[in-house]
Amino acid sequence: MSDTNIELISTISEDNTLELALREIEIPQPGENEVVIRIEAAPINPSDLGVMFSAADMTTASQSGSADRPVIRADVPAKFMGAVKKRVGKAIPVGNEGAGTVVAAGSSAAAQSLMGKTVAFIGGGSYRKYLCAKVQSCLELEQGTTAAEGASSFVNPLTALTMVETMRAEGHKAIVHAAAASNLGQMLNRICIADGIDLVNIVRKPEQETLLRELGAKYVVNSSSDSFMADLTQALIETGATIAFDPIGGGKLASDILTCMEAAVSRNTTEYSVYGSDIYKQVYIYGGLDRGPITLNRNFGFAWGVNGFLLFNALGKLSKETAIAMRKRIAAEIKTTFASQYTHEVSLAGALQLDAMAVYGKQATGEKFLVRPQS
């Protein structure tokens, strides 16, 4: 084992400044039910950027330091400082998940069984060389699965599976998903095809529509098309979808989805009601690609809801048996159903380069970064 350990941290100071830097820390020692993982791959997900950038205005970012110890600083607008006051002065490790090799294990049988194995893990601080993780936070990858293949074993796969379980638990029969050409969207598409669930995919570009159709998607609608509302309504008539998951957040997409759902479910209604249909329609917001206000044009009755959707909260509503089954499925299908494609690989220092940050900071479809802490 190397005698050095480095981690990427995010700190907001009282002078309204965000600082991203690398710091040297001790290599941890495992407790009884813990393992030490030599991290070989960790994805950059939108949820990681929320911790990494916080409320900073990244258009003000500047770079200093050395080639192997770069430092990024950016301004945090004064109006947002109140919202982040609990993290002021605290160096927060970045990275929700990753994968690597277990190089030390605690004394428990569960920990010892992972010694030398390639595992995926969740729990934070994955942008570092060595991490101590609890055994229950680890997923043993099947033999022949690399760390890069297993690096995204939790956030996107569990989110996609939990969307399906939420649909079932709430009594819906089909799903609408926005920004559907994303890594997560492609995963959800594969799950729904395998499980026989109708999925309405909303995209913004013709090439994204082509991509999803080539991947077997039956229902794909383009939000930039003049016929979007009519196309979405028709897809909702055919599928009966009354639940949607939207990572965009701001703007009027949630409103448009509810409007089309109402049109679809009330198309054969002969009697007028000022309250609209009594069929419940639900939109969950699970991201903030658009951080502007959510605009709702109230022409979809009263039987509706717009709520936030956070993976860990949603997982907490599922049974232990369901959660275990989901993890087993992910490990078995990590190269197929739950495969992630990366367009860029960077070292820890490489993640703190302004040109790289300008790309992964956009959270653009088809631009997914993988951090390689050992390089």
Side-chain angles (χ1 to χ4, degrees):
M1 191 187 301
S2 168
D3 59 356
T4 60
N5 193 10
I6 298 169
E7 70 174 353
L8 194 159
I9 55 171
S10 172
T11 310
I12 293 178
S13 57
E14 291 184 357
D15 65 352
N16 296 31
T17 302
L18 169 79
E19 181 178 282
L20 303 173
L22 302 177
R23 70 176 177 184
E24 195 166 309
I25 57 174
E26 292 184 358
I27 294 177
Q29 297 298 314
E32 179 183 1
N33 291 301
E34 296 177 331
V35 294
V36 175
I37 304 167
R38 179 183 185 270
I39 302 174
E40 293 151 17
I44 298 180
N45 294 315
S47 55
D48 299 312
L49 298 182
V51 176
M52 193 174 182
F53 298 159
S54 187
D57 177 1
M58 296 309 293
T59 64
T60 67
S62 62
Q63 183 176 332
S64 59
S66 61
D68 62 341
R69 290 288 192 278
V71 176
I72 301 291
R73 290 186 177 88
D75 298 334
V76 179
K79 63 181 179 180
F80 296 137
M81 286 298 289
V84 299
K85 62 181 179 181
K86 290 186 178 179
R87 63 166 289 181
V88 170
K90 298 177 181 177
I92 300 180
V94 184
N96 281 317
E97 65 178 332
T101 305
V102 174
V103 294
S107 58
S108 72
Q112 285 293 315
S113 71
L114 295 177
M115 186 64 192
K117 302 286 183 61
T118 301
V119 300
F121 65 89
I122 194 167
S126 63
Y127 299 166
R128 68 177 72 181
K129 289 192 171 185
Y130 294 93
L131 174 84
C132 189
K134 295 184 183 300
V135 170
Q136 58 264 39
S137 298
C138 297
L139 176 67
E140 181 180 345
L141 300 174
E142 294 191 349
Q143 191 168 3
T145 303
T146 66
E149 290 170 333
S152 294
S153 289
F154 284 94
V155 176
N156 282 351
L158 284 177
T159 298
L161 286 172
T162 302
M163 288 174 175
V164 172
E165 293 301 328
T166 299
M167 175 207 73
R168 290 172 173 149
E170 296 185 1
H172 304 274
K173 68 176 185 178
I175 297 172
V176 178
H177 185 226
S182 65
N183 240 279
L184 190 153
Q186 293 180 42
M187 241 176 244
L188 182 61
N189 181 57
R190 291 192 289 267
I191 293 168
C192 289
I193 290 173
D195 293 5
I197 298 167
D198 282 335
L199 174 67
V200 179
N201 299 275
I202 298 177
V203 298
R204 293 182 302 114
K205 300 177 181 178
E207 57 266 31
Q208 294 170 344
E209 182 176 355
T210 300
L211 170 67
L212 285 171
R213 292 198 185 280
E214 289 176 348
L215 294 175
K218 182 177 180 181
Y219 302 99
V220 188
V221 294
N222 189 333
S223 62
S224 62
S225 168
D226 291 339
S227 59
F228 169 61
M229 297 293 281
D231 296 340
L232 178 57
T233 301
Q234 184 58 40
L236 295 173
I237 290 172
E238 293 181 28
T239 61
T242 48
I243 186 171
F245 295 91
D246 171 26
I248 297 169
K252 65 185 188 73
L253 181 59
S255 183
D256 288 346
I257 292 171
L258 290 170
T259 297
C260 293
M261 284 180 175
E262 177 71 3
V265 300
S266 60
R267 67 192 182 283
N268 295 323
T269 302
T270 55
E271 305 230 354
Y272 169 77
S273 170
V274 67
Y275 304 113
S277 72
D278 60 1
I279 296 177
Y280 190 77
K281 304 161 289 292
Q282 175 69 51
V283 176
Y284 281 111
I285 307 295
Y286 74 94
L289 295 176
D290 182 341
R291 296 190 176 276
I294 298 172
T295 302
L296 297 177
N297 298 311
R298 295 278 304 280
N299 57 351
F300 35 75
F302 281 80
W304 57 273
V306 176
N307 297 79
F309 183 86
L310 184 65
L311 171 60
F312 299 107
N313 291 347
L315 273 176
K317 299 177 182 178
L318 304 179
S319 69
K320 182 178 179 181
E321 292 74 21
T322 297
I324 291 173
M326 287 163 61
R327 287 172 63 137
K328 287 182 177 178
R329 180 176 181 181
I330 292 167
E333 301 176 29
I334 195 63
K335 295 186 181 184
T336 53
T337 307
F338 304 103
S340 290
Q341 305 298 322
Y342 303 98
T343 51
H344 307 272
E345 293 189 2
V346 291
S347 64
L348 287 169
L352 296 184
Q353 303 294 320
L354 289 179
D355 55 350
M357 297 172 80
V359 178
Y360 67 70
K362 290 189 299 183
Q363 304 178 50
T365 297
E367 294 280 2
K368 192 165 182 66
F369 276 63
L370 185 70
V371 178
R372 293 284 204 173
Q374 303 299 329
S375 61

